[in-house]
Structure formats: structure tokens, C-alpha cells
Amino acid sequence: MANIHTPIPLLKLNDGTSIPMLAYGTGTAWYKPPSVEESKIDRPTVEGVKTAIKLGYYHLDGAEVYKTEPELGLGIKESGVPRDQLYVVTKVNQNIADIHSAIRASLKKLQLDYVDLYLIHQPFFAEGSEAKLQEAWAAMEQVKADGLAKSIGVSNYYQSDLEATLATAKVVPAINQIEFHPYLQHGGLLEFHRKHGIATSAYGPLTPATRSKGGPVDEYLGSLAKKYAVTEGEILLRWCVDQDVVTITTSGKEQRLSDYLRSMTFKLTPTEVKEIKDLGEQKHFRAFWQNKFAADDKS
Ligand SMILES: NC(=O)C1=CN([C@@H]2O[C@H](COP(=O)(O)OP(=O)(O)OC[C@H]3O[C@@H](n4cnc5c(N)ncnc54)[C@H](O)[C@@H]3O)[C@@H](O)[C@H]2O)C=CC1
Ligand SMILES: O=CCc1c[nH]c2ccccc12
């Protein structure tokens, strides 16, 4: 991979492959609501993907549930960048009961032969059944064995979901994609990931500067933004990367996407990383899947 001109570094995964540490997402700002037909191509979404690739984003995050796989595939095709220079991720959600068909349907929509990373989008489908988590993971292992995904992983898994999965896994999940920012640090989950060689990726990384502004990290983020001559958002992206956490953001604004790339060109000191961590722990905020995680859950 990678002749593409980009400042985004790679992180080595437990299966020997490497993942770009900053990704462009095609969910949140872009997903099609239930009223919109998936087959109706949304040109702004296609153009968003092309802009991201043009700027140097080569890790592209998609999902079955966003209904934007056709736009992601078209954006990749129209970008003219060779497939092997891009890192494409998608996730299974609705068709979790038939992962074999789900990956094939996703690849068809993406117009690709394989994805770099395929994720189980959430563990809630299993309703607490370890057997269901294990059965789904065995199907993911088959996807990898069939060459349809180079790496396989999970998303929104608790430690207990990972423990159940690992109990019968032949392949250790490469990554757990979770909501991660100073107001949602998940207690010991990242340490558990490290112990088992599972990488962490963060969605919603800008949350303290966007969805949950007005909190204990504001002032300190402001002072670091001044010090490094960047925005508070870029400090938050860097805070993830400096903890070896792959980070996924998005925007329809080219200038913002371009600015985010600056976060790949400086480094916070260990003291600054810790200060943001400590300040962030004074507040708890979860932006996604609130109706699925227990109301009092902070992990
Ligand atoms: N696995 C999962 O369950 C989930 C995965 N994701 C993935 O992660 C990607 C990124 O997620 P986000 O939460 O959107 O990332 P994010 O926390 O980086 O937020 C990006 C959003 O913040 C907005 N923004 C940026 N700067 C702003 C400012 N100064 N003021 C106001 N708004 C500002 C952007 O326009 C964009 O809509 C998604 O597109 C999707 O691919 C997202 C949610 C759940
Ligand atoms: O993956 C992000 C959060 C999410 C969960 N369900 C949906 C449906 C449509 C867009 C985003 C999401």
C-alpha cells in the first residue's frame, strides 16, 4: 500500500497488516435516513469521499447500516487512486445472521473484491448470548479465510463480549472500534485490548469540542490549540494518535478535512496526554448507541 501523498502514519495490527491512523468516515454526517432508497446515489457523499482521498485520507470507514457503500465505492472508483493504495473498512449490522451473504452484498455495493477490514458493528444482536457472539465470530473468520477481508474485527464490544469471543476464536480480533474521547475513556478496556494484541479505533473523537462542548477539558484544549497553532479538534485527534488509537472523523467541509491532517504533523507531550485524560475523567458523555448501553455504564 501507499504511494499516495499523505502525512497519515500506519499502525501495525496483530495479523501483520498495517492500518492508517486517521480515517474518513461515511456514517454520521452522510448516512441515508430510512426514508431514502439505498440505490439512489447521493452525489455530495461521493464528492466527499473524492475530496478526502484527494487530500490524502486513504483509510475510508463505511458500514452496511449507513447505506452509503454505493457512494463510497463510486468515490473510490472516480478518485482514480489504485485500490491497493486505499484502506477500506465496512461493517455488518442488519445481516449479522448471514455474514457470508452480508460481506458479498457489501463488496458488490462497494464495487470491490475485498475490504481491508471487516467489523461486526455491535454486540447487541447477541442479547448477552456468548454462543451467538462466538458463532458470528466464526463466520467472520471464514470471511477472512475466503480472502474477502484482509483483517477482521469488532465494534462497540465490551470486555465481556471480547472475552466470550476470544474463548473460541482461532483469529484474535484485529481491532475494536469504539466511541472514544476524553469524556468516554472506557476504564480498563484499552489495557485489555493491549494485553490481547487488539488495536483500538476511535469514532466520535471530536465530541468534547462539538457534541459535548462546555466541560472540564475546554480551557486546556484551548491553551494547547494556541501552543501548537491548531484547532481544539486537532488536539483531540492527536490525543488519540498519541495513545496508539486509530481515529475516525469526517466533515463535508474541505477546509476542515485539510486542517485535521495537521494533527498528524505534531506530537503532544506525555504530560499533555495525561492532563487531557485526567480532566476528561471528570465528565461522562456518550453520543452514540445510548439506548443500547446500560444508562449507568461508563465503559
Ligand atoms: N462503529 C460505530 O458504531 C460508529 C462509527 N462511526 C464512524 O466514525 C465516523 C466519524 O464519526 P463522528 O462522530 O462524525 O466523528 P467526529 O467526532 O470527528 O465528528 C465529526 C463531525 O463533527 C463536525 N465538526 C467538526 N468540527 C466542528 C466544529 N468546530 N463545530 C461543529 N461541528 C464540527 C463535523 O462536521 C462532523 O460532522 C463516522 O462517519 C463513521 O464512519 C461513527 C459513529 C458510530
Ligand atoms: O455507526 C454509527 C452509529 C449508527 C448506528 N446506527 C446508525 C444508523 C445510521 C447511521 C449511523 C448509525
Side-chain angles (χ1 to χ4, degrees), residues 172-290:
V172 174
I175 206 159
N176 187 12
Q177 185 185 113
I178 54 175
E179 180 175 339
F180 180 74
H181 46 73
Y183 298 150
L184 194 58
Q185 298 188 43
H186 300 275
L189 184 61
L190 266 69
E191 194 43 47
F192 181 85
H193 286 171
R194 274 183 215 112
K195 190 173 148 205
H196 291 274
I198 301 168
T200 305
S201 76
Y203 65 78
L206 301 183
T207 296
T210 55
R211 300 178 182 94
S212 191
K213 213 171 157 52
V217 299
D218 287 12
E219 201 180 323
Y220 191 56
L221 285 184
S223 71
L224 291 177
K226 266 205 193 97
K227 173 179 170 183
Y228 292 103
V230 296
T231 63
E232 281 87 345
E234 288 154 65
I235 300 293
L236 288 163
L237 296 175
R238 189 68 224 182
W239 183 75
C240 292
V241 172
D242 281 330
Q243 297 176 84
D244 286 338
V245 172
V246 172
T247 181
I248 314 165
T249 188
T250 198
S251 179
K253 297 196 169 104
E254 180 164 351
Q255 187 58 53
R256 248 182 212 162
L257 284 181
S258 166
D259 289 349
Y260 295 158
L261 289 171
R262 287 189 305 218
S263 65
M264 301 294 113
T265 62
F266 70 97
K267 210 170 156 33
L268 297 171
T269 68
T271 309
E272 289 164 348
V273 171
K274 180 160 186 323
E275 183 66 11
I276 296 173
K277 222 170 160 41
D278 292 347
L279 289 167
E281 266 160 9
Q282 295 170 23
K283 175 172 170 177
H284 172 73
F285 183 86
R286 186 191 292 281
F288 295 93
W289 303 98
Q290 296 103 327

Side-chain angles (χ1 to χ4, degrees), residues 36-82:
V36 177
E37 265 294 309
E38 182 165 11
S39 58
K40 189 171 170 356
I41 294 294
D42 181 61
R43 281 307 305 179
T45 306
V46 178
E47 295 305 323
V49 170
K50 286 164 69 180
T51 299
I53 294 173
K54 179 189 79 183
L55 290 172
Y57 288 80
Y58 58 116
H59 173 173
L60 307 161
D61 184 77
E64 179 187 37
V65 74
Y66 305 153
K67 298 200 289 177
T68 50
E69 289 172 313
E71 284 82 357
L72 176 53
L74 211 50
I76 289 170
K77 200 171 189 183
E78 291 181 13
S79 76
V81 172

Side-chain angles (χ1 to χ4, degrees), residues 54-126:
K54 179 189 79 183
L55 290 172
Y57 288 80
Y58 58 116
H59 173 173
L60 307 161
D61 184 77
E64 179 187 37
V65 74
Y66 305 153
K67 298 200 289 177
T68 50
E69 289 172 313
E71 284 82 357
L72 176 53
L74 211 50
I76 289 170
K77 200 171 189 183
E78 291 181 13
S79 76
V81 172
R83 167 68 184 97
D84 66 356
Q85 291 185 30
L86 298 171
Y87 190 95
V88 184
V89 182
T90 198
K91 319 181 191 88
V92 55
N93 183 64
Q94 304 89 292
N95 290 311
I96 188 76
D98 186 359
I99 290 177
H100 175 83
S101 303
I103 181 70
R104 283 173 173 74
S106 285
L107 289 173
K108 191 166 179 207
K109 285 183 258 180
L110 289 163
Q111 303 186 56
L112 298 177
D113 301 328
Y114 70 93
V115 286
D116 295 275
L117 177 63
Y118 194 46
L119 303 177
I120 295 180
H121 205 139
Q122 40 84 6
F124 313 115
F125 74 91

Side-chain angles (χ1 to χ4, degrees), residues 137-178:
W137 188 250
M140 294 292 282
E141 291 174 330
Q142 191 57 49
V143 165
K144 182 171 156 71
D146 292 343
L148 303 178
K150 302 256 187 228
S151 300
I152 49 173
V154 297
S155 177
N156 297 301
Y157 270 41
Y158 280 122
Q159 182 170 325
S160 56
D161 302 314
L162 287 167
E163 282 166 344
T165 302
L166 289 171
T168 56
K170 295 189 187 74
V171 176
V172 174
I175 206 159
N176 187 12
Q177 185 185 113
I178 54 175

